[in-house]
Amino acid sequence: MENGEMKNRQMIQSSDRIPLSWKQAGSTLFLQGTLDRDSLLPLWQQKDSLLAQIENIDVSGLEHVDSTGMALFVRIKGDWQQSGKALIFSGIGERLKILIALYGLQSIFADNSPEKGRSPEEM
């Protein structure tokens, strides 16, 4: 495969990804779309105000999470634990479970519900 073909394929793949969005319902923050190095910055910049009243982050709506997205989750979880707050990630799908296992982060996410979270409409 030539470099031009590879670049074209990467552009198509990244343009097919659903943009990151979020919605708060009660004490749950629902994430949807793609959480990667290209979409992470707006969430990172707003994390303190967004997460002030959050006890649960529902990730069942995420289509894709890369290592930078995983690093964000680890940082947020660590910050909450350090401040004595409990934070749960719900709706962890098979792909994310694999990423958690590959990075050896099972202990960090051990207190999380294995079931899919509820959609904002079900709240």
Side-chain angles (χ1 to χ4, degrees):
M1 185 179 309
E2 294 180 22
N3 278 345
E5 289 178 41
M6 179 63 89
K7 285 181 183 178
N8 190 31
R9 179 172 288 174
Q10 288 172 342
M11 286 174 43
I12 290 170
Q13 288 175 347
S14 64
S15 67
D16 287 345
R17 297 214 169 129
I18 299 168
L20 179 65
S21 64
W22 52 84
K23 179 178 181 177
Q24 182 178 348
S27 63
T28 300
L29 183 67
F30 292 88
L31 299 180
Q32 297 179 345
T34 299
L35 180 60
D36 61 12
R37 68 184 185 106
D38 297 326
S39 66
L40 182 114
L41 189 58
L43 182 61
W44 175 256
Q45 291 172 331
Q46 298 177 51
K47 73 176 176 55
D48 292 333
S49 61
L50 272 175
L51 301 174
Q53 303 300 319
I54 297 298
E55 297 173 4
N56 176 43
I57 297 177
D58 185 301
V59 297
S60 62
L62 290 175
E63 299 290 325
H64 175 77
V65 178
D66 72 0
S67 59
T68 57
M70 181 58 65
L72 174 69
F73 291 157
V74 170
R75 174 67 185 267
I76 290 170
K77 184 80 169 183
D79 288 351
W80 258 239
Q81 287 174 337
Q82 207 169 33
S83 67
K85 298 179 189 175
L87 180 66
I88 293 179
F89 287 84
S90 63
I92 298 174
E94 288 304 312
R95 287 175 156 176
L96 193 50
K97 285 179 188 177
I98 291 169
L99 194 57
I100 289 168
L102 286 172
Y103 284 103
L105 300 171
Q106 297 92 327
S107 63
I108 293 173
F109 293 94
D111 61 346
N112 297 293
S113 168
E115 298 176 9
K116 288 214 175 244
R118 296 183 295 172
S119 70
E121 291 77 28
E122 294 174 338
M123 301 287 301

